[in-house]
Amino acid sequence: MNVVVTGAAVLLPGTETVRALADGPAPGGTPVEPAAHVGKKGLRYKDRATQLGYALTAAALRDAGLLGADEKAGITVPAVSVGVVASSNFGNLDTVTRALDTLREGTVTATSPMDLPNASSNVIASSAAIRYGLRGPNLMVCNGETSGLDALHWATTLINAGRAERVLVLGVEPDNEVVRRLLGGERAVDGGAALVVESRAAAAARSATVRAVLGGYRRGAAAPDERGLRWELPAHLGKASGASGLLQVAAAVGLFDAGEPGPVQAVTGGAGDDARADLLVLAPEAA
């Protein structure tokens, strides 16, 4: 258990704290407005998922004590020490669909120069890294229902391998017409969660507050056993998909902040999916 959580953020309709997430968001929340969190600059021409990613990244970095109130000042640790792993299955689907529709109806010259850079599958992870100067390893996971916990696993792997001292792990899913068409009318969460995970040594070196400890991770076809308290996102918020695992761990942080002893078992994937994954999240005392 070498990796700990030192920062956590959540942005969902009506929910902007991990404690509120743990309590269970109520229906009827207003949509997240990224500009209210990071300002309007840099949001134009960015898809919804990337805009949400910017807001979550800033919130998680600040929560971990790695970013001040002024973004221009940059992060408080060496840029190469911070990696990014993002998880999203629907991410820039609207941008890709729009570009393909344009190509089908016209020619490549009809495509927007503003759209094409955003059609990259890695756009959420790379955009967050560029905006906030995070120069460590950069990965994007689009792996179905297990994607969020898989992203945390790869972040842990990067840290344990010495590739990064800390990693911003981001899970976000936008809600739009293209996504709803893919989901047969079901809506997506239109938000997500972000975590800052660090090696225990890196966290101790900067006197960071440990919010949770990451335990064992498993991925396979078999159903996981019950190794701790389970938390589930309320159904009214929509399909979490690639953000599901991160939201569950963020909720665990909220429970620990309130004194819940844990542990919490985050579980993603079901009977209709190609795999299941689970991750044990322990209270800070386990560090």
Side-chain angles (χ1 to χ4, degrees), residues 244-263:
S244 176
L246 276 298
L247 285 166
Q248 291 180 56
V249 178
V253 173
L255 290 170
F256 298 152
D257 285 352
E260 166 66 46

Side-chain angles (χ1 to χ4, degrees), residues 133-145:
L134 313 178
R135 299 186 179 179
N138 189 280
L139 302 173
M140 184 76 198
V141 182
C142 309
N143 203 33
E145 291 299 310

Side-chain angles (χ1 to χ4, degrees), residues 258-287:
E260 166 66 46
V264 174
Q265 185 183 29
V267 180
T268 53
D273 302 307
D274 64 350
R276 290 175 182 257
D278 71 288
L279 174 70
L280 196 64
V281 189
L282 300 99
E285 294 75 16

Side-chain angles (χ1 to χ4, degrees), residues 106-135:
T107 66
V108 68
T109 57
T111 58
S112 167
M114 299 297 110
D115 264 354
L116 292 182
N118 296 329
S120 166
S121 61
N122 192 48
V123 65
I124 300 171
S126 60
S127 295
I130 291 169
R131 180 170 179 133
Y132 296 99
L134 313 178
R135 299 186 179 179

Side-chain angles (χ1 to χ4, degrees), residues 50-157:
T50 299
Q51 291 183 4
L52 291 167
Y54 282 157
L56 283 164
T57 297
L61 291 175
R62 287 197 181 101
D63 191 59
L66 297 176
L67 184 69
D70 183 5
E71 286 184 17
K72 295 180 181 178
I75 57 174
T76 59
V77 293
V80 295
S81 74
V82 190
V84 179
V85 182
S87 167
S88 183
N89 293 314
F90 312 137
N92 61 343
L93 183 61
D94 54 341
T95 300
V96 173
T97 300
R98 185 167 57 248
L100 289 174
D101 286 345
T102 301
L103 288 172
R104 186 177 62 250
E105 296 169 2
T107 66
V108 68
T109 57
T111 58
S112 167
M114 299 297 110
D115 264 354
L116 292 182
N118 296 329
S120 166
S121 61
N122 192 48
V123 65
I124 300 171
S126 60
S127 295
I130 291 169
R131 180 170 179 133
Y132 296 99
L134 313 178
R135 299 186 179 179
N138 189 280
L139 302 173
M140 184 76 198
V141 182
C142 309
N143 203 33
E145 291 299 310
T146 65
S147 186
L149 294 186
D150 295 341
L152 276 167
H153 166 66
W154 286 113
T156 299
T157 300

